[in-house]
Amino acid sequence: MMKIRKANERGHASHGWLDTYHTFSFGDYYDPQWMGFRSLRVINDDVVMPGMGFGKHPHRDMEIITYILSGELEHKDSMGNGRVIRAGEVQYMAAGTGVQHSEFNPSKNEGVHLLQIWIQPERAGVKPRYAEKSLKDASAGKLHLVTSKTGRDGSIAIHQDADLWLAKLEAGNRATHQLAPGRHAWLHVAEGEVALNGTVLQDGDAAEISEESALELSAKKPAQVLLFDLN
């Protein structure tokens, strides 16, 4: 069973300094049909203009994952972390009992294109935590594990039974993912064009998948795909 979320049906806001598309209800965008999927609550597709950014603001009780598609993002938080994350890098924060952070595009001439992902934790009140993982040199044509509950196989451990996989695909590449019984998947095409079990998905499109055992991906053109395997 598959339900398609088309890119051009997402919520959209242009603030001048920020151009953003919301896969799920967020901020001023509200659609009761798209409140999230399983523990996945937010996928925001953001472009932050040069020299602009998000001022210091608080979060709590949320698993926050940022993936940089192009450009650079300068991060500072109340845990003492200060870092510029670049294309191909993943940043993770467990907001837990509370954290404040700011995000700023340090470039004078290039926008930064990123995906910000929120996953609801399995319990509230955890100690805030920070981690990073680079997938800049991840090989094409296969799925790479980014997050998991246990941190297996070098992935980032998060407070939810949610595996996040990334695939970088060249045209003609194929990749397969097996869904265990009772598991669900959300697939987001960050860039490019792929076919998922024969259904063509383009840049920004997504698919909600339940009651399927195998997911077959084939790239029509170079692509980056995020696959969430959820309980």
Side-chain angles (χ1 to χ4, degrees):
M1 188 170 67
M2 187 185 304
K3 183 178 180 181
I4 304 302
R5 176 62 156 151
K6 297 297 290 182
N8 61 4
E9 297 171 352
R10 296 176 294 177
H12 177 241
S14 181
H15 302 290
W17 65 274
L18 169 70
D19 193 68
T20 179
Y21 287 87
H22 307 310
T23 294
F24 303 115
S25 294
F26 184 89
D28 293 333
Y29 169 64
Y30 175 73
D31 184 338
Q33 295 186 70
W34 298 104
M35 298 300 294
F37 180 65
R38 314 299 295 182
S39 59
L40 180 59
R41 180 60 188 85
V42 167
I43 302 178
N44 287 346
D45 188 340
D46 294 343
V47 175
V48 181
M49 303 306 162
M52 307 301 286
F54 302 88
K56 185 181 289 187
H57 59 282
H59 293 284
R60 65 180 303 127
D61 293 326
M62 195 63 70
E63 305 290 286
I64 301 171
I65 300 163
T66 302
Y67 180 57
I68 307 297
L69 292 164
S70 64
E72 299 181 347
L73 189 71
E74 184 175 353
H75 166 94
K76 294 181 180 178
D77 65 46
S78 55
M79 293 179 281
N81 299 296
R83 172 84 158 80
V84 175
I85 52 175
R86 297 175 170 85
E89 296 182 337
V90 174
Q91 178 196 72
Y92 162 73
M93 282 200 314
T97 54
V99 67
Q100 294 192 22
H101 76 141
S102 62
E103 296 162 298
F104 178 76
N105 180 357
S107 173
K108 295 180 180 179
N109 49 40
E110 181 185 6
V112 55
H113 186 192
L114 62 103
L115 295 175
Q116 185 165 117
I117 297 151
W118 293 7
I119 294 173
Q120 295 174 326
E122 60 186 4
R123 65 185 187 279
V126 302
K127 182 179 179 181
R129 191 162 65 84
Y130 179 92
E132 297 173 359
K133 183 177 178 65
S134 177
L135 291 142
K136 180 180 177 181
D137 298 322
S139 56
K142 62 179 292 187
L143 288 158
H144 299 269
L145 187 60
V146 181
T147 74
S148 67
K149 184 175 179 178
T150 61
R152 71 184 190 279
D153 300 330
S155 62
I156 298 171
I158 66 172
H159 299 100
Q160 182 55 266
D161 185 5
D163 291 350
L164 168 57
W165 300 82
L166 172 72
K168 295 182 177 183
L169 303 171
E170 300 296 339
N173 281 169
R174 293 179 177 271
T176 303
H177 181 74
Q178 300 296 322
L179 268 185
R183 302 286 293 186
H184 307 263
W186 183 275
L187 183 132
H188 180 86
V189 181
E191 296 177 324
E193 182 178 318
V194 300
L196 171 62
N197 290 0
T199 298
V200 175
L201 300 172
Q202 297 177 331
D203 190 350
D205 290 347
E208 169 189 314
I209 304 117
S210 295
E211 299 176 11
E212 298 278 354
S213 59
L215 306 181
E216 302 280 349
L217 279 172
S218 60
K220 301 293 186 180
K221 58 180 69 171
Q224 289 199 75
V225 175
L226 275 65
L227 174 62
F228 299 84
D229 186 323
L230 307 163
N231 65 1

